[in-house]
Amino acid sequence: MRIVIILCILCSWLISCKDSEAKGKTAEVDTEEQAGIKEQPEIAFEVPEITEEDSDEESIEETRSNSVFDTGENRVYIKKEDLDKTELASLQQIMEGDPELKEKALIKDNGDEFELNLPALKVHLSNGHQSYKPMRDLLEQNISPASVSMGYEINGRERIRAYTNNPTGGFLEDMTEHYMYRGGRTGKTALRRLGVASDDNVVPILLNYFEVSEAELQMLKDFPNTENHPNSAAAKRALNFEIPKDVSEYLKDPKCTEGFKYTIDYFKKRQGKAAGKFMQKANKAREEFYQLNPGWYGEEEDIGITYIDSRRKYIYLPFGELSFADVMISHDTGDGGANSEGVLGEPDMALENFRLQDPRIGNLGLNGVLTLEFTNNALTDVNGPDLYVFEMGKIEPTRLEISKDGVNWLDIGQIEGGTAMVDLAGFVKPGETYNYVRLTDLDTFSVVPGADVDAVAAIGGALRLNIDSAVLFDTGEYKLKGSATSELERLLDAIKEIPEGTVIVEGHTDNVGSPQSNLILSKNRAQEVAGYLQENLSNTYKFTVKGLGESQPVAPNDTDENKQKNRRVEILVLPSNKH
């Protein structure tokens, strides 16, 4: 643990030194780039390809702040050129009204910048000092970026996402990253200021950066990303987005600022560039899947989603967002494991700077063991890879096991060698399905112990549907209730989404009664449901019926509630494979 702390301190010190060296050059570079921005040729965004040798993460030290006074920084600076006349007059007024600020060297005038002793200034302005808020606002809106750790850029993005109510930050976030929008490091400066700002200074910082009015900033909140797309669904949204009519009309209004006009024009220029390139690679990944699996679910329709991982690999999943493990059964965190829920659902960190701990990433932990369940999907063997682990940073040796019931496990082996794709061929029989995955760290040291997992996906998969037996049957009976029709119609609609395949109907019971009678009851119930489905579906489906009795409970049979969970009918739909 001591080694980890020393490494983090060294990384932070090196980054700070680098920023300080760049401080003197920043204004020069920004001026040159901003002066020439209109004449520069458009540069199309392209996600860089990262090789396995380059894939080790550059971890960003975790930094959190509720205001600039909470950063823990010692000396911070404000360049005079960043202050307008009103702000400069306000700062001079604060200093003249409080002589101790100069006398105790809490604020120094160094000629072209002000130097502030932040810890001492915080103490001086505490206890309701009348200058606290004006001083805090001046600092947060104008602090020199060289005064702030680069880790606060991550916090800045989170502030934009909260403001836009968009997990990717939309167009507003993209434009703080795209250097040609304002030139130089202007966007990075805005992100760092946002990262240390109080909540009430988020909008003023954005207004200053985008050079728009508050009403115009509100109009931009719903504009989609133009540069960074985590999946093909997001890329399609960008391509299909149309400028709202009220925005188009407002552009003709005399009140419309030049900053807003420039921003809308920039959006139009950038809208299809990165999204178009993403879709080219997404379509290639889709084609490769169906070359291996002709006739599989979704081939004839524009469904399924292609995702990008942290290594810029494109993974097509025919079931889209239903492809991911969505229930965390257990997590033995070992040494240093954390954020168990971060592995569930779609990947949301592939395009992010990865810091040491983030709730969106599940840290397996040294010797940690994580067990997951697919409730809307199931693992099955298709041609090519069957399971994909979206892992951040270096892929660390991890043991993979799969299970039908969460009790009996099949060891698939290690995930290692720079790839997170797993092929089940040779381990499972054709048509078998598995609902559980268990990942075990194999004791490999790194800055964050154990694998750092963003998501776990079944690549081909099978649609999994679960129905409470109480909805379909009376207690101890296997004939369908009249009131079951609406639930059965819902099942039919879901199954028809896969126009051809194998439907597996499984009956399950609790442990009330003898094992033999429960086995018979579960088989009869499964057969009754299968019969109804066969009568109402086309002949493009094959049916398999299984009665499993009390052998595969999803919860201990120790309460009435748990027993009800175990009394169920499960349906798996495997798309056909014409290969």
Side-chain angles (χ1 to χ4, degrees):
M1 188 66 186
R2 188 177 299 169
I3 294 172
V4 173
I5 294 170
I6 292 171
L7 285 171
C8 291
I9 293 170
L10 283 172
C11 289
S12 178
W13 179 77
L14 287 169
I15 290 167
S16 176
C17 290
K18 188 173 181 181
D19 282 349
S20 298
E21 289 174 9
K23 179 181 169 187
K25 302 175 184 176
T26 301
E28 218 176 280
V29 173
D30 286 0
T31 304
E32 291 173 0
E33 294 195 7
Q34 287 177 12
I37 186 170
K38 302 282 183 168
E39 287 72 39
Q40 291 184 43
E42 262 313 287
I43 296 178
F45 175 85
E46 183 171 7
V47 181
E49 296 291 343
I50 298 180
T51 63
E52 291 172 11
E53 290 77 12
D54 297 332
S55 64
D56 288 354
E57 71 269 27
E58 181 184 336
S59 295
I60 306 297
E61 185 175 1
E62 184 169 6
T63 45
R64 299 284 180 186
S65 172
N66 293 318
S67 86
V68 69
F69 289 116
D70 299 325
T71 62
E73 302 288 351
N74 188 14
R75 302 278 172 175
V76 298
Y77 301 85
I78 299 177
K79 292 181 180 179
K80 289 184 179 179
E81 65 184 27
D82 289 340
L83 297 172
D84 60 30
K85 290 181 181 180
T86 303
E87 290 172 326
L88 186 58
S90 176
L91 180 55
Q92 289 171 341
Q93 184 178 359
I94 290 171
M95 294 174 69
E96 289 168 4
D98 190 349
E100 288 189 8
L101 294 175
K102 268 189 176 181
E103 292 168 6
K104 294 183 178 180
L106 303 184
I107 301 178
K108 289 184 183 178
D109 188 339
N110 292 340
D112 62 344
E113 65 182 9
F114 293 101
E115 178 184 337
L116 296 89
N117 182 334
L118 197 59
L121 187 61
K122 179 182 179 180
V123 172
H124 182 76
L125 296 177
S126 62
N127 300 320
H129 196 291
Q130 63 179 0
S131 296
Y132 175 83
K133 188 176 186 306
M135 190 69 242
R136 185 203 67 181
D137 293 349
L138 276 169
L139 245 180
E140 291 179 350
Q141 294 177 35
N142 298 284
I143 191 168
S144 170
S147 303
V148 181
S149 164
M150 69 182 292
Y152 283 109
E153 291 177 18
I154 298 176
N155 279 29
R157 294 186 193 99
E158 290 173 356
R159 289 294 177 84
I160 294 175
R161 292 170 189 185
Y163 173 74
T164 60
N165 195 29
N166 181 337
T168 64
F171 179 61
L172 292 184
E173 181 176 329
D174 277 356
M175 289 305 98
T176 60
E177 303 278 4
H178 198 251
Y179 77 94
M180 288 186 66
Y181 173 71
R182 288 294 181 200
R185 294 179 55 83
T186 315
K188 299 290 186 185
T189 297
L191 282 175
R192 293 196 192 187
R193 287 174 178 168
L194 285 167
V196 301
S198 309
D199 289 342
D200 52 351
N201 276 322
V202 169
V203 168
I205 292 169
L206 290 173
L207 294 178
N208 181 62
Y209 176 67
F210 285 98
E211 298 178 9
V212 297
S213 69
E214 189 163 355
E216 291 168 344
L217 188 67
Q218 281 285 334
M219 294 183 201
L220 293 170
K221 283 174 69 171
D222 294 330
F223 278 56
N225 296 80
T226 55
E227 311 305 316
N228 297 318
H229 304 292
N231 55 58
S232 57
K236 287 177 185 176
R237 281 195 294 273
L239 287 170
N240 297 329
F241 181 81
E242 295 183 2
I243 304 290
K245 287 184 179 180
D246 60 336
V247 173
S248 297
E249 289 299 317
Y250 177 75
L251 289 168
K252 305 170 189 175
D253 194 309
K255 292 184 295 185
C256 182
T257 65
E258 290 303 313
F260 188 71
K261 292 176 184 177
Y262 171 71
T263 300
I264 295 298
D265 185 55
Y266 206 87
F267 175 83
K268 291 176 181 178
K269 290 178 180 177
R270 299 297 310 169
Q271 180 177 3
K273 293 194 178 232
K277 289 200 170 187
F278 190 103
M279 288 309 301
Q280 288 177 2
K281 295 183 179 182
N283 289 335
K284 183 180 178 184
R286 185 180 188 277
E287 289 168 7
E288 288 173 353
F289 177 84
Y290 286 115
Q291 283 173 1
L292 289 172
N293 299 279
W296 197 260
Y297 171 61
E299 184 176 21
E300 303 301 325
E301 302 174 49
D302 186 18
I303 56 178
I305 299 176
T306 300
Y307 294 83
I308 189 171
D309 76 352
S310 62
R311 288 160 187 77
R312 305 311 191 251
K313 292 181 180 176
Y314 291 76
I315 303 96
Y316 174 73
L317 303 176
F319 282 99
E321 62 185 15
L322 296 180
S323 305
F324 298 94
D326 52 353
V327 173
M328 194 273 296
I329 300 298
S330 64
H331 185 191
D332 176 352
T333 56
D335 180 8
N339 304 320
S340 308
E341 302 287 332
V343 305
L344 303 179
E346 294 178 286
D348 45 20
M349 287 290 288
L351 302 175
E352 304 281 345
N353 285 321
F354 177 44
R355 57 180 164 192
L356 299 184
Q357 293 281 348
D358 193 295
R360 293 166 292 180
I361 294 292
N363 309 118
L364 190 54
L366 206 62
N367 293 315
V369 182
L370 177 65
T371 304
L372 305 171
E373 182 183 7
F374 295 88
T375 63
N376 299 312
N377 195 0
L379 279 170
T380 190
D381 182 28
V382 298
N383 294 317
D386 304 300
L387 181 76
Y388 199 91
V389 179
F390 288 78
E391 188 171 346
M392 301 294 292
K394 183 179 180 181
I395 293 177
E396 301 180 30
T398 305
R399 169 160 283 107
L400 169 69
E401 299 165 277
I402 60 175
S403 172
K404 294 175 179 288
D405 56 9
V407 177
N408 302 295
W409 293 91
L410 179 62
D411 188 359
I412 304 300
Q414 287 186 213
I415 301 173
E416 60 179 350
T419 179
M421 294 186 290
V422 180
D423 191 344
L424 299 181
F427 294 96
V428 303
K429 296 176 182 177
E432 283 189 327
T433 60
Y434 293 81
N435 304 327
Y436 298 87
V437 168
R438 186 162 68 190
L439 300 171
T440 303
D441 177 71
L442 295 177
D443 200 358
T444 304
F445 174 79
S446 64
V447 176
V448 179
D452 307 306
V453 182
D454 191 7
V456 178
I459 293 180
L463 181 64
R464 186 181 178 196
L465 305 166
N466 195 326
I467 318 148
D468 184 346
S469 287
V471 176
L472 303 176
F473 309 101
D474 289 322
T475 304
E477 299 295 327
Y478 64 85
K479 290 297 181 182
L480 288 167
K481 295 195 294 189
S483 58
T485 304
S486 61
E487 185 67 16
L488 292 168
E489 289 298 317
R490 184 187 69 82
L491 281 179
L492 287 170
D493 289 341
I495 294 170
K496 287 174 183 176
E497 290 293 318
I498 300 176
E500 183 176 355
T502 299
V503 179
I504 302 170
V505 184
E506 298 179 346
H508 301 265
T509 67
D510 58 22
N511 65 348
V512 177
S514 71
Q516 185 61 30
S517 63
N518 284 332
L519 195 64
I520 294 170
L521 179 62
S522 66
K523 178 71 176 287
N524 287 339
R525 285 180 169 179
Q527 187 64 62
E528 188 78 2
V529 172
Y532 181 92
L533 296 177
Q534 280 180 297
E535 287 178 11
N536 291 277
L537 290 170
S538 68
N539 59 5
T540 58
Y541 299 94
K542 297 178 182 177
F543 279 79
T544 299
V545 178
K546 297 180 181 180
L548 298 170
E550 60 191 68
S551 65
Q552 293 186 13
V554 293
N557 283 298
D558 52 4
T559 66
D560 289 341
E561 183 181 357
N562 281 349
K563 288 177 181 179
Q564 184 174 335
K565 290 178 182 178
N566 291 327
R567 297 190 295 267
R568 68 198 189 279
V569 175
E570 289 194 1
I571 296 173
L572 292 158
V573 188
L574 282 76
S576 67
N577 190 337
K578 297 176 182 176
H579 193 276

